[in-house]
Amino acid sequence: MSSHQEAAPSHDGPKVLAVSERSPRVRSIAVVRPGEPDVNYLAATAKGLAITLKHFARNFFLPMKSADERAKPGAPVDETWKNEIETVQYPEEKVTYPERFRGLHRLMLRDDGAVRCVACMCCPTACPAHCITIVPEESDSLRIEKRPAIFEIDELRCIACGLCVEACPCDAIRMDTGEHAKPVEDRARSIETKETMMARGIQSVATQGGEGPNWRETATPPSK
Amino acid sequence: MLDILIAIIDFPATKWLLLIMGLVMPLASILTWMERRQSAMMQDRLGPNRANIGPIKLKGILHFIADAVKMIFKEDFIPANVHKGLFALAPVLALAPVLIAFAIIPFGPTIYPHSLTSTIDTYALATAPGSYAFADSIRLQIFSIDFGLIFYFAVLTLANYGGTIAGWASYNKWALLGGLRSSSQMMSYEVAMGLALMGVFLWTGTLEPGAIALHGASATMSPSNPLNWMWLWQPVGLVLFFTAAIAETKRAPFDIPEGEPEIIGYFVEYSGIRWGMFFLAEFIEIVFVSAVIATIFFGGWQLPFLDADGFRIGGYIDQVTHMSVGGTVLHLPHLVVVLLQAGAFAGKVVLLSMFQLFIRWTLPHMRADQLMNLGWKWLLPLTLANIMVTALIRLLFL
């Protein structure tokens, strides 16, 4: 980085000519306006041209920094023979997002690949944008009461607040895909269905609904 | 057959087409892309690099085609209450004079078609110009007229009407303000621009750009010697003319007529290809200013140390033939010399255009009053002083 850190000029404030007696905050000050040009235009022009020419030559002749170095702000850069262009060429190169970036939703899966959601309706209740639609149906499993027949999220209405993820009691919905909502030509196509969100889903390691070690078994029995 | 071909090529319209279609239009179009790309490089960005035809990308150089297609197919919108005739005429008035003014620019040496493959015998050329080898000649300059530079100033003054009429016909206060600023700026700087070249006139005694390029400052040096070009003998004139000429192109730091931050300018009501014509006229003016400066101050189409018969180091000017002779010579065929020299002219124009882009992206834009101060209080007196000093030097020492 060749950012020039210059000391801020010492500033004593404007020269006060008169102060109002009634309210001391009302003052008249001497306004300093630039008078006749006190710079040498030609020398200043040459100096400016040298700076821009240096940047141009450096960026024109030297190779670019690697995509990773450009994409990650603050990453260590071998600056010696690299130019100063910071542009990330978006569709091909992507900035690494922070870990907690909230992207497109995904529905997590059970061990057998079924949807993990039990249609408890916590997330549509928590959703401030009313973008989640769940139609529950009866589950085949004896141990799980409900599952969603329809689970749709309108990504145009979603404000990516993450409250649905916070509200979910069984780690069934997550926003950690790191993907943006894709541009669409038709509003209907911005609606994510259960299938598309399950396609992004992975198996969750959290325990749920009696599968795996049950808290009733592992927890210490309450003392009477 | 050869005679007919020579006659066709020697026709002014053919040469004009050759110059405009071969150098000016391509360069002006590519400058629109180069400006964005170069400014991006100066500001640590990448700039436009995406336009492509299939896999052909060429670093985005095809953006100028995309821009042209976009502008041509945009809606041709004419606002209500504009003066329709003048509104349509203004872009033409801005574009046409610049193209006409190229008539005075020599863009290559005189071609002798009968001796293209052989080395020019300079002694024979000077003593027997009517012989078969030199019987036909094609001068790569459309009009070689004694009042060449005056013609340039006269024609470029007409371009002023383009901006002013566009501002007036648009029925828009901002456009009118831009048009007025345009005319005031052009008038102020034309004075300094014309006077800045008077020093060159005093040195060379001619206003014909071809003669200025060909003869240089001194008759005792070879015209292809860079020390003989006017940049060394008129450095003040060069800086003053360059400044005034940049002001004439109406670009930053002198972009008061367009004034994007404040008033948008005289073409605020224009869109599509009509606006594109103003835009193109601006870039052609850049090319034209570069061509004039290359011709007058940097030896025109001369490549350093390349004489008519080849590269020459040392040598002297024969006082009878006025050709450089002697020295160490690398003889080259006439065709190679012509191509090298025409290429040298194009190269100088490209470099000077790039330099103008550098200036445009380095300096901040000036206020209207600063502009008038610079024009009338600095440039004009300095040009007058330059004329005085040049005249004194010529009178006392030469």
Side-chain angles (χ1 to χ4, degrees), chain A residues 42 45 48-49 52-53 55-56 59-60 64 84-87 89 91-92, chain B residues 38 41-42 44-46 49-50 239 354-355 358-359 361-363 366 374:
Chain A
L42 272 182
T45 304
L49 280 174
T52 48
L53 189 67
H55 275 263
F56 176 76
N59 294 330
F60 188 77
M64 281 180 84
E84 295 175 348
I85 291 176
E86 299 282 354
T87 312
Q89 308 204 51
E92 295 92 18
Chain B
Q38 182 177 335
M41 293 273 183
M42 287 158 63
D44 295 347
R45 296 181 288 116
L46 265 179
N49 62 348
R50 294 259 159 190
V239 171
M354 282 184 76
F355 185 64
F358 267 112
I359 289 184
W361 287 95
T362 298
L363 298 180
M366 300 177 98
L374 181 71

Side-chain angles (χ1 to χ4, degrees), chain A residues 107-119:
Chain A
L107 286 178
M108 306 297 284
L109 308 177
R110 294 173 198 278
D111 292 346
D112 58 357
V115 70
R116 207 174 154 79
C117 174
V118 294

Side-chain angles (χ1 to χ4, degrees), chain B residues 177-303:
Chain B
L177 198 52
L180 286 175
R181 283 178 172 198
S182 155
S183 57
S184 70
Q185 174 176 332
M186 300 279 266
M187 274 188 259
S188 311
Y189 279 77
E190 245 155 33
V191 181
M193 197 164 73
L195 289 174
L197 286 186
M198 283 306 108
V200 177
F201 175 59
L202 288 177
W203 269 102
T204 57
T206 175
L207 283 171
E208 207 277 291
I212 295 175
L214 189 56
H215 296 302
S218 154
T220 55
M221 270 193 285
S222 163
S224 62
N225 188 342
L227 297 180
N228 199 14
W229 298 345
M230 292 311 298
W231 63 269
L232 187 62
W233 306 93
Q234 279 291 311
V236 181
L238 171 61
V239 171
L240 295 174
F241 179 75
F242 209 163
T243 313
I246 290 175
E248 285 284 299
T249 60
K250 301 196 277 281
R251 286 160 55 79
F254 305 107
D255 61 344
I256 298 298
E258 286 157 33
E260 278 105 357
E262 323 124 29
I263 59 163
I264 315 295
Y266 53 86
F267 46 51
V268 62
E269 295 292 357
Y270 283 83
S271 61
I273 195 64
R274 291 182 204 270
W275 175 82
M277 282 167 80
F278 280 117
F279 191 60
L280 194 60
E282 200 177 290
F283 279 92
I284 293 177
E285 263 182 57
I286 296 174
V287 179
F288 184 71
V289 165
S290 307
V292 168
I293 290 172
T295 304
I296 292 173
F297 291 100
F298 293 98
W301 41 264
Q302 317 236 25
L303 196 63

Side-chain angles (χ1 to χ4, degrees), chain B residues 167-179:
Chain B
W168 187 83
S170 290
Y171 197 71
N172 177 320
K173 289 189 179 67
W174 304 118
L176 183 61
L177 198 52

Side-chain angles (χ1 to χ4, degrees), chain B residues 21-248:
Chain B
M21 292 299 158
L23 175 66
V24 177
M25 286 304 234
L27 182 56
S29 318
I30 288 175
L31 273 180
T32 62
W33 163 82
M34 210 156 90
E35 162 155 58
R36 286 177 286 162
R37 191 95 164 120
Q38 182 177 335
S39 62
M41 293 273 183
M42 287 158 63
Q43 298 168 349
D44 295 347
R45 296 181 288 116
L46 265 179
N49 62 348
R50 294 259 159 190
N52 56 326
I53 301 176
I56 307 167
K57 215 162 182 182
L58 298 175
K59 300 247 170 204
I61 213 167
L62 299 165
H63 267 277
F64 78 90
I65 299 174
D67 288 343
V69 170
K70 182 195 82 173
M71 283 191 291
I72 290 168
F73 285 100
K74 259 189 167 178
E75 182 190 359
D76 181 24
F77 183 76
I78 299 180
N81 293 330
V82 302
H83 189 298
K84 289 207 172 52
L86 290 179
F87 188 81
L89 183 66
V92 183
L93 275 181
L95 184 60
V98 204
L99 293 177
I100 294 170
F102 270 101
I104 58 158
I105 300 290
F107 54 100
T110 308
I111 303 176
Y112 300 103
H114 296 304
S115 36
L116 274 181
T117 50
S118 56
T119 303
I120 292 279
D121 183 354
T122 51
Y123 183 77
L125 177 60
T127 50
S131 68
Y132 175 73
F134 310 115
D136 288 310
S137 63
I138 300 169
R139 193 175 186 144
L140 290 185
Q141 182 182 13
I142 297 153
F143 289 122
S144 166
I145 39 181
D146 289 340
F147 51 89
L149 291 178
I150 308 250
F151 176 79
Y152 154 43
F153 294 131
V155 168
L156 270 215
T157 310
L158 292 178
N160 188 0
Y161 286 102
T164 315
I165 288 180
W168 187 83
S170 290
Y171 197 71
N172 177 320
K173 289 189 179 67
W174 304 118
L176 183 61
L177 198 52
L180 286 175
R181 283 178 172 198
S182 155
S183 57
S184 70
Q185 174 176 332
M186 300 279 266
M187 274 188 259
S188 311
Y189 279 77
E190 245 155 33
V191 181
M193 197 164 73
L195 289 174
L197 286 186
M198 283 306 108
V200 177
F201 175 59
L202 288 177
W203 269 102
T204 57
T206 175
L207 283 171
E208 207 277 291
I212 295 175
L214 189 56
H215 296 302
S218 154
T220 55
M221 270 193 285
S222 163
S224 62
N225 188 342
L227 297 180
N228 199 14
W229 298 345
M230 292 311 298
W231 63 269
L232 187 62
W233 306 93
Q234 279 291 311
V236 181
L238 171 61
V239 171
L240 295 174
F241 179 75
F242 209 163
T243 313
I246 290 175
E248 285 284 299

